[in-house]
């Protein structure tokens, strides 16, 4: 079975939407044989410190074991003469280190942002209260810093019923980030539901060009909804026509 990692996950920090505790999510992922999980709460990153700290604590044991094994290997290799048992131990240690590395769990830091339809500074119409959903994941430290800048601006500058980013912020802070087209409330699925396939394709290509090839994915979800039956075939068609990769969440 190919490895699978959940990239669109809500914790109890997604008010009125998520219920799972961070501890429970990590434990469930590990129980299911996953070595990572993303936390993408709605509009906020309130759970990220707890998430990172708890994963770091869980990783303490395998990281400690790796350190001890590396130290033992260095000591053995420094010997001028080795017994047969010591030679066998030297040959075994790399495999033991790899086994411990597989136990290390990766916390993927993200957010399901609300992207304002008419810019984050517009706060006058009912349409402005909502925003297109967009999954954004930190690819590296630069991406993490850019993500927290965007989410902070969403509260300080863009808050109107919800904390909202906009395309101006995405253009300014896209470096080091991976983006998924999100659920039915995403801009691409919404265009498909409106019957405008060409707008959906143009929107997907805009995001692909902004984040760069390999950093933007068409997100596929199937919750058995009537809208899923409309959107999913069109998303797959769009992805194949544009070459944009797909990600199931």
């Amino acid at each position: 079975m190919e490895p699978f990692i959940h990239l669109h996950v809500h914790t109890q920090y997604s008010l009125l939407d998520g219920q799972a505790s961070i501890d429970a999510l990590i434990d469930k992922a590990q129980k299911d044989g996953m070595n990572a999980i993303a936390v993408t709460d709605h509009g906020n990153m309130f759970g990220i410190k707890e998430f990172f700290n708890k994963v770091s604590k869980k990783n303490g044991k395998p990281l400690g074991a790796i350190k001890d094994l590396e130290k033992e290997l260095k000591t053995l290799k420094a010997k001028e003469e080795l017994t047969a048992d010591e030679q066998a131990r030297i040959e075994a240690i790399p495999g033991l280190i790899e086994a411990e590395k597989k136990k290390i769990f990766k916390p993927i830091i993200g957010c399901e942002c609300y992207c304002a339809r008419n810019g984050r500074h517009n706060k006058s119409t009912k349409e402005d209260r909502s925003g297109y959903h967009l999954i954004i994941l930190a690819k590296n430290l630069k991406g993490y810093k850019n993500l927290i800048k965007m989410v902070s601006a969403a509260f300080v500058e863009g808050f109107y019923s919800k904390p909202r980013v906009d395309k101006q912020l995405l253009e300014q802070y896209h470096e080091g980030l991976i983006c998924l087209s999100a659920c039915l409330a995403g801009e691409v699925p919404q265009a498909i539901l409106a019957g405008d396939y060409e707008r959906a394709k143009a929107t997907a290509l805009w995001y692909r060009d902004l984040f760069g090839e390999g950093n933007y994915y068409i997100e596929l979800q199937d919750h058995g909804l009537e809208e899923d039956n409309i959107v999913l075939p069109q998303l797959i068609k769009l992805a194949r026509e544009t070459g944009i990769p797909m990600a199931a969440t």
Side-chain angles (χ1 to χ4, degrees):
M1 181 180 175
E2 291 294 320
F4 180 84
I5 294 168
H6 286 292
L7 298 177
H8 184 152
V9 180
H10 300 307
T11 75
Q12 75 267 35
Y13 291 100
S14 288
L15 300 181
L16 302 180
D17 186 271
Q19 187 266 347
S21 70
I22 287 172
D23 264 340
L25 286 168
I26 297 169
D27 289 343
K28 184 68 167 71
Q30 289 185 311
K31 184 179 178 182
D32 289 345
M34 301 177 193
N35 65 354
I37 195 171
V39 165
T40 56
D41 282 313
H42 278 297
N44 75 75
M45 297 171 70
F46 300 153
I48 292 306
K49 186 175 186 299
E50 179 185 346
F51 180 43
F52 184 84
N53 288 348
K54 289 188 173 179
V55 170
S56 296
K57 186 176 180 180
K58 284 180 177 287
N59 285 339
K61 189 174 180 179
L63 288 172
I66 290 169
K67 188 176 180 180
D68 291 342
L69 287 166
E70 289 174 340
K71 185 179 178 180
E72 181 185 356
L73 185 61
K74 185 177 180 181
T75 300
L76 288 171
K77 285 185 173 181
K79 287 189 173 184
E80 292 184 4
E81 293 185 15
L82 294 169
T83 65
D85 287 344
E86 287 173 334
Q87 182 60 44
R89 183 65 177 170
I90 284 178
E91 294 171 2
I93 285 177
L96 295 173
I97 289 174
E98 288 304 310
E100 290 298 328
K101 284 182 178 179
K102 289 179 180 179
K103 298 176 185 176
I104 295 172
F105 194 82
K106 183 178 179 64
I108 302 172
I109 295 172
C111 180
E112 182 166 15
C113 295
Y114 300 103
C115 189
R117 297 165 187 257
N118 302 308
R120 69 187 187 277
H121 298 294
N122 289 321
K123 305 173 184 180
S124 57
T125 69
K126 185 178 180 180
E127 185 182 55
D128 291 330
R129 291 183 180 274
S130 61
Y132 295 118
H133 293 206
L134 197 66
I135 296 292
I136 303 180
L137 307 172
K139 184 177 180 179
N140 48 37
L141 182 59
K142 178 69 174 178
Y144 169 70
K145 290 180 178 180
N146 279 335
L147 183 56
I148 60 176
K149 286 176 182 176
M150 276 201 292
V151 172
S152 295
F155 277 95
V156 176
E157 301 170 2
F159 195 92
Y160 185 56
S161 182
K162 296 182 176 74
R164 305 170 307 148
V165 301
D166 61 9
K167 289 185 175 178
Q168 181 186 22
L169 286 174
L170 293 173
E171 288 173 335
Q172 185 176 356
Y173 295 116
H174 67 273
E175 188 179 346
L177 296 172
I178 292 173
C179 179
L180 280 66
S181 61
C183 55
L184 290 171
E187 187 173 2
V188 174
Q190 283 293 299
I192 290 173
L193 286 171
D196 196 341
Y197 178 79
E198 291 306 316
R199 177 162 65 90
K201 184 190 285 189
T203 299
L205 289 171
W206 184 88
Y207 281 106
R208 191 275 311 273
D209 292 344
L210 176 65
F211 288 94
E213 289 193 21
N215 294 321
Y216 177 68
Y217 293 80
I218 297 297
E219 183 173 348
L220 306 178
Q221 291 188 356
D222 187 358
H223 294 108
L225 302 173
E226 183 180 344
E227 291 89 343
D228 289 328
N229 295 329
I230 297 169
V231 169
L232 278 172
Q234 297 296 302
L235 287 176
I236 294 168
K237 176 186 174 185
L238 188 157
R240 288 173 176 166
E241 287 181 357
T242 60
I244 298 171
M246 293 174 274
T249 69

